[in-house]
Amino acid sequence: DLHSFPTRRSSDLLVEQCMVIMTESGYIKRIPATSFRAQKRNGVGVKTQDDITLATIRTNTVDKLLIFTNKGMLYRLLVNDIPVGTNSTKGTAIKALVDMDANEQVETIYSVYRGTEAQFVLFVTKQGIIKKTPLSEYMGTKKKNGIAALKLKDGDSLVAATIISDENILLASSGGKLIRLDTKEIGISSRISMGVKGMNLGDNEEIVAVAAIRDPKDDIALFTENGYGKRLRPTEFTVQGRGGKGIIGFKVDNIRGPLVGIAMVNDEDLILLSGTTNAICIPCSSIPVSTRVAKGVIMIKDNKVVSVY
């Protein structure tokens, strides 16, 4: 969500709300959150830079950015140390900010808020593997030097990392299925372990997103590659044991395309959909609350949705 809140001071740093944007080519920048303006759904959005946006995070300049790579490494960077850019600028190469190997690529990023009470980092891979590790194991690394974060199987890759305490989570697959898990039932693993099976996937299916259910009043917003979206109530999904197949949340087809992202939202939130050429920021109040069998409505035209934030 893209809520705004006042600028304030913490120690000697001015705390400012901002957006951190990472692109497919490994560039990163921070821009003021006010750079995003809400538009009506079913529009074409606004033109983005030539590089495809892979991740957009709302954060603050005093928070820490966790950078996870395809080699299972973690790098930590103060958000304030990310150069400021604009919607149209390319940004700075991440490899210029942290000491990554030449053949190492960033897979996902996550911002840890100062003073967070979360206890664990939850990792989710494309093949449905999940791992829960104490957050404290990752916060002592030097800013530029990486540490091992998790062990990946050959052919697998990290989809997302999020911080949790004991809330339920939802894993979503490209086939439109969701599974709700109780994170209290997931055992604690070490930094270099591989994790356990979270969701059993079908042929040509992979995990695309994870969302933590922190407020039971929030809805689940679901979006497909061809720009369709809808909202569901969390009560549509009962808690299952890990390793299950989940249930259909969005019936995907050739018109709508595969599921690409989910987010927990309420009517006051904004959601940013980044496509191959354009991006659109829409109020979540304009996304209809419907049922698991509903087909959804168009959110953005003439674009393949790449990321949802």
Side-chain angles (χ1 to χ4, degrees):
D1 73 74
L2 305 180
H3 283 333
S4 61
F5 49 85
T7 296
R8 61 195 189 280
R9 283 194 176 274
S10 176
S11 300
D12 295 327
L13 275 177
L14 184 65
V15 186
E16 295 180 331
Q17 187 185 20
C18 60
M19 307 299 295
V20 172
I21 297 174
M22 182 187 76
T23 70
E24 188 176 56
S25 298
Y27 286 80
I28 197 167
K29 62 185 175 182
R30 63 179 169 96
I31 63 176
T34 52
S35 299
F36 293 90
R37 294 285 183 268
Q39 298 175 270
K40 293 182 179 179
R41 64 174 171 85
N42 196 24
V44 296
V46 296
K47 184 80 171 66
T48 58
Q49 72 275 12
D50 293 334
D51 207 353
I52 295 174
T53 298
L54 286 187
T56 303
I57 294 178
R58 187 197 70 169
T59 185
N60 292 289
T61 48
V62 296
D63 295 333
K64 295 179 178 66
L65 189 73
L66 304 184
I67 301 168
F68 300 95
T69 76
N70 61 334
K71 290 191 173 183
M73 296 292 290
L74 161 72
Y75 299 86
R76 185 168 61 88
L77 186 66
L78 187 66
V79 172
N80 193 65
D81 291 339
I82 301 170
V84 177
T86 67
N87 279 332
S88 59
T89 56
K90 186 175 183 178
T92 302
I94 296 176
K95 290 181 178 180
L97 302 176
V98 295
D99 294 333
M100 293 169 53
D101 289 344
N103 60 346
E104 200 169 3
Q105 301 297 325
V106 178
E107 292 198 330
T108 190
I109 56 177
Y110 192 84
S111 178
V112 178
Y113 293 94
R114 175 177 287 195
T116 180
E117 296 181 356
Q119 298 173 284
F120 305 101
V121 181
L122 182 82
F123 299 93
V124 182
T125 76
K126 283 188 177 181
Q127 293 181 4
I129 301 298
I130 56 176
K131 190 182 83 160
K132 184 175 78 172
T133 303
L135 176 62
S136 58
E137 293 197 22
Y138 299 102
M139 298 309 293
T141 178
K142 294 179 181 179
K143 291 181 181 179
K144 288 198 172 186
N145 297 326
I147 59 172
L150 76 162
K151 186 177 180 181
L152 293 166
K153 292 181 179 179
D154 290 342
D156 202 2
S157 59
L158 186 65
V159 169
T162 186
I163 57 174
I164 59 169
S165 289
D166 58 5
E167 55 266 57
N168 285 187
I169 58 165
L170 289 161
L171 303 183
S173 76
S174 55
K177 295 178 183 176
L178 281 77
I179 188 169
R180 182 171 179 168
L181 303 175
D182 184 349
T183 58
K184 293 193 295 291
E185 303 302 318
I186 302 172
I188 300 173
S189 302
S190 67
R191 273 198 298 113
I192 58 174
S193 65
M194 191 172 288
V196 295
K197 195 72 170 179
M199 186 174 184
N200 193 14
L201 301 169
D203 293 340
N204 302 316
E205 192 177 19
E206 62 185 32
I207 297 294
V208 295
V210 60
I213 304 175
R214 298 188 172 96
D215 186 340
K217 296 179 183 178
D218 284 348
D219 294 323
I220 311 160
L222 303 92
F223 304 94
T224 69
E225 184 179 69
N226 292 343
Y228 285 78
K230 66 179 181 180
R231 286 196 291 172
L232 299 176
R233 292 296 299 146
T235 50
E236 295 266 11
F237 303 91
T238 57
V239 174
Q240 300 182 44
R242 63 176 182 81
K245 294 184 177 180
I247 59 176
I248 290 291
F250 210 129
K251 192 171 183 180
V252 300
D253 53 29
N254 291 335
I255 295 175
R256 286 155 191 82
L259 191 70
V260 294
I262 64 172
M264 301 304 299
V265 303
N266 59 50
D267 281 347
E268 285 71 48
D269 290 333
L270 303 176
I271 199 85
L272 179 67
L273 304 182
S274 295
T276 48
T277 60
N278 288 34
I280 192 169
C281 183
I282 57 175
C284 291
S285 57
S286 68
I287 305 172
V289 178
S290 50
T291 64
R292 291 193 294 109
V293 297
K295 296 180 178 180
V297 296
I298 281 285
M299 299 286 117
I300 184 172
K301 291 180 177 179
D302 305 325
N303 256 258
K304 297 289 186 183
V305 177
V306 177
S307 61
V308 176
Y309 292 93

